[in-house]
Amino acid sequence: MAALGGGLVLALAMIAEDTGSAVETYVDRVDAPDGMAVYCPPEIGEQERDAAACTRYDPQREVASLRARPDVVAVGRAAPTPVFVHPPAKEWTEAFAWVAIDEISVYGELDVVAGRHAAEGSATEVNVNEGFVRQHGLGVGDRFEIAPITWAEYSSDEGLGGEPAGTPTPVEIVGVLRSPTDLTAAVEGNDALSVNESMLFLSPEWARAVRPADFARYQNGVIVDARPGADVAAILRAAEPGALGYLSTENMIEGEMAALSDAVAYESRATWIAAALSAIAVVVFVGQMLARQARREVDDMPALRAIGASSGMIVRSAVPRWTVSAAVAIGGTTIVGALGRSRGPVGVARQMLGSSAIGLDPLLATAVVAGVTVLVFGVGLGVTALAGGAQTGDRFVGRRATVPAVPSASGMAGLSWAAPRSRRQRAQVLGVVLGMALAVGAAVASVSVVSSLRHLTAEPIRYGAPWHATVSAALGPESVRAVGEYLSRLDGVEAVGGLAGNDGAIGDHVLYVYGIAPVPNLPAGIEP
């Protein structure tokens, strides 16, 4: 029992540690590029910048300039773009895709949850994320058609529908990847916060097959993977100092993982609490078992005293027996802990990293093993020492008792109320009943909390998003005018708010601060 209890505590402690470091481990493992920039045509001035012109601009010259720098590991163009997809026996529908125009992925090396990565040089093999599988009902091995959305379709005020203007190409899903959006809690029927977003990952060969000039895109991004310690912002600015429309030095993984950091921290804390509660339970229950085992030696004390054994001799004679018990407890603790670690990390962290490898954390293993050792020797030798020195005349206090068959906990609790008891016994029974009541109450409360949380996440207005969609373009603040003009031409728009944000601080705590501002010539009415 000491081995099982100590192993459980050790496993939970290591799972909590693995969970707490999951975001950092995931970001390092995926190794996404360090930054992205959108460049505008050099002839467009700072005051005359046009979002549409920047989006259509093909930054080949900037990519060539960046490739020549010694502090750049890899660089290339990538375009987030809407595309048409045509699953078998279904109508054409819109989807979202990341197109690698050059040989670099904006998301780094995402985990494959089914199938494999698309082969290099193939225009017909594609990867999709789990959100795409859920939304379109397609999986590994399924074939369908993709058509680019042309600039004419992208700029049209008419709704998407019917046959696409671009040339369809057949593709096959060869692998399902787990993207950061797949790790975000799914919010059914709500796209306001880009939750549960489905996406395709398309190759440079696909881009060349349809010609980059033929498909519209949200931006023509240049992504850079720099050497450690390099100033990514300075690198991206240097490529075209006067024509930089948008700059980000936060890679795609870090930006999308930030939303999950709090969730992972809560899961880690919960697991640490479980480890602490388990440690208390081990001390109480295993300690009692050890004390009972040590007390079995009590009957030998009068005989040992009669032949002249001192308290010290009695304790020393017990050391070999408790050493064996401690060795079993220590060995079992390490084995159970090492095996149990593979059950973690928990929650979102497990989705990020999968299960941990079997093994031990040296520091945590040392701490838990030391605690188990102290528990075994402390209780065993402590009870032996007390028994060896406790005598009343010629009769030692303590005896063995015949243990009757014990009914179930609920049966014992019920029967105990029908029998006369001492004050101490009544207090014990009351504790059993209260413990059962608390256990049942906790089970009911957990169901209520889960139900309430699902109700919260299903209604955006309950968590502060009282709108139906967010609309943006490539250049952030530079895009406000273009987006506003577009929305002003749409029917059915009841209210619009400009969503702006930046880092802020409350005391020493840094957080992201949002503000909702009116948009010129559009109806207001959206509030936090």
Side-chain angles (χ1 to χ4, degrees), residues 292 295-296 399-407 412:
R292 282 196 212 99
R295 191 173 179 274
R296 293 174 67 87
R399 60 186 174 84
R400 294 183 183 178
T402 301
V403 181
V406 180
M412 178 70 80

Side-chain angles (χ1 to χ4, degrees), residues 148-477:
I149 290 181
T150 64
W151 283 111
E153 291 171 309
Y154 185 75
S155 305
S156 173
D157 292 339
E158 300 177 3
L160 297 174
E163 295 290 323
T167 303
T169 56
V171 296
E172 178 185 355
I173 298 175
V174 297
V176 178
L177 309 182
R178 179 163 290 161
S179 70
T181 56
D182 294 318
L183 298 170
T184 307
V187 180
E188 185 177 355
N190 171 54
D191 293 326
L193 298 179
S194 300
V195 173
N196 200 22
E197 184 179 81
S198 69
M199 65 178 72
L200 282 150
F201 301 93
L202 301 177
S203 66
E205 286 69 32
W206 182 88
R208 284 192 282 271
V210 301
R211 294 193 308 164
D214 287 344
F215 70 87
R217 60 200 75 92
Y218 294 129
Q219 56 186 213
N220 250 340
V222 174
I223 51 178
V224 168
D225 193 11
R227 298 195 184 281
D231 188 337
V232 178
I235 291 172
L236 291 170
R237 287 194 183 96
E240 191 67 68
L244 187 64
Y246 171 81
L247 172 66
S248 174
T249 56
E250 183 178 63
N251 70 40
M252 294 294 293
I253 297 297
E254 289 176 329
E256 297 189 23
M257 285 294 99
L260 299 177
S261 296
D262 284 346
V264 172
Y266 287 133
E267 290 166 349
S268 176
R269 264 179 256 152
T271 312
W272 277 117
I273 292 171
L277 293 175
S278 298
I280 294 172
V282 169
V283 170
V284 173
F285 292 108
V286 176
Q288 288 181 352
M289 297 171 115
L290 294 170
R292 282 196 212 99
Q293 181 65 27
R295 191 173 179 274
R296 293 174 67 87
E297 300 177 356
V298 165
D299 290 341
D300 296 328
M301 295 303 169
L304 293 173
R305 286 292 190 185
I307 61 174
S310 65
S311 298
M313 292 171 63
I314 291 171
V315 172
R316 287 195 297 274
S317 69
V319 169
R321 297 192 293 277
W322 289 108
T323 299
V324 173
S325 298
V328 172
I330 291 168
T333 293
T334 55
I335 293 172
V336 173
L339 295 174
R341 187 180 193 178
S342 64
R343 306 304 300 173
V346 297
V348 179
R350 190 176 182 85
Q351 287 184 286
M352 290 182 191
L353 304 176
S355 59
S356 297
I358 294 173
L360 294 172
D361 177 277
L363 185 60
L364 289 175
T366 301
V368 175
V369 165
V372 170
T373 305
V374 170
L375 177 65
V376 174
F377 276 113
V379 174
L381 296 180
V383 172
T384 301
L386 289 174
Q391 286 182 303
T392 303
D394 294 329
R395 183 172 176 274
F396 186 78
V397 178
R399 60 186 174 84
R400 294 183 183 178
T402 301
V403 181
V406 180
S408 65
S410 57
M412 178 70 80
L415 290 173
S416 65
W417 291 106
R421 301 288 176 185
S422 66
R423 178 181 299 177
R424 180 180 176 184
Q425 289 170 328
R426 287 196 296 271
Q428 291 174 339
V429 170
L430 182 61
V432 171
V433 174
L434 287 176
M436 293 174 63
L438 287 173
V440 173
V444 174
S446 64
V447 173
S448 301
V449 169
V450 171
S451 175
S452 176
L453 182 60
R454 287 177 177 168
H455 186 50
L456 167 69
T457 56
E459 299 183 28
I461 194 170
R462 287 178 171 268
Y463 56 80
W467 53 79
H468 294 101
T470 56
V471 185
S472 62
L475 302 180

